[in-house]
Amino acid sequence: MNLFLYVTLILLGLSSGGVVAAGIFSFISAIGIVPRMAKRTATQKYIPLYEDMITIGGVFGTTTMFVSYHLPIGNILVAIFAFVNGIFVGCLAIALAEVLNVIPIFLRRSRIVAGIPMFICSIALGKIFGSFLYFIIKGFFIMN
């Protein structure tokens, strides 16, 4: 009976993870971040490679939850990886905001007509500063 329970839990966990992963990947494709970034960088011929790398990254990121990986890549490569990861997350957030028209609606409602580039740069700098505090100051992210 225990074997049946374990097999059921494994199948349920894998199925749930697959559904969540499919939802995230369909969300990324629905907001069109991959074709938009490929168009901006004039690398449309690499779109299938980009999509494969996003999928592999998602699978690798998911497996890091239950498999302890140790990659001897050094601090410099870790910093580069974190920087590139931050760029991707930032692009994803901006693409979502663009699809939902968050920034134009906010600017129209707050009556901001001048300094829009400075406004967007201040959002980016705030995100950078918050991330910096999160990773540098021990205990900064703990809420009591």
Side-chain angles (χ1 to χ4, degrees), residues 23-88:
I24 289 172
F25 293 136
S26 66
F27 170 72
I28 288 173
S29 65
I31 64 175
I33 189 172
V34 174
R36 184 175 298 141
M37 293 303 290
K39 183 179 176 186
R40 300 250 173 143
T41 59
T43 58
Q44 291 93 337
K45 63 183 176 182
Y46 297 114
I47 288 178
L49 176 66
Y50 297 153
E51 292 170 347
D52 291 341
M53 292 299 107
I54 290 172
T55 304
I56 290 170
V59 170
F60 181 73
T62 301
T63 60
T64 60
M65 298 295 180
F66 53 86
V67 176
S68 179
Y69 292 114
H70 177 71
L71 301 174
I73 58 176
N75 290 338
I76 300 295
L77 287 178
V78 168
I80 291 170
F81 174 75
F83 182 71
V84 171
N85 194 20
I87 289 172
F88 175 75

Side-chain angles (χ1 to χ4, degrees), residues 2-33:
N2 269 344
L3 180 64
F4 177 73
L5 180 64
Y6 288 135
V7 170
T8 304
L9 287 175
I10 289 170
L11 289 175
L12 184 64
L14 288 173
S15 301
S16 301
V19 167
V20 170
I24 289 172
F25 293 136
S26 66
F27 170 72
I28 288 173
S29 65
I31 64 175
I33 189 172

Side-chain angles (χ1 to χ4, degrees), residues 130 133-135 137-144:
L133 291 177
Y134 177 84
F135 288 110
I137 300 174
K138 184 178 179 180
F140 179 76
F141 53 89
I142 297 174
M143 298 178 67
N144 290 325

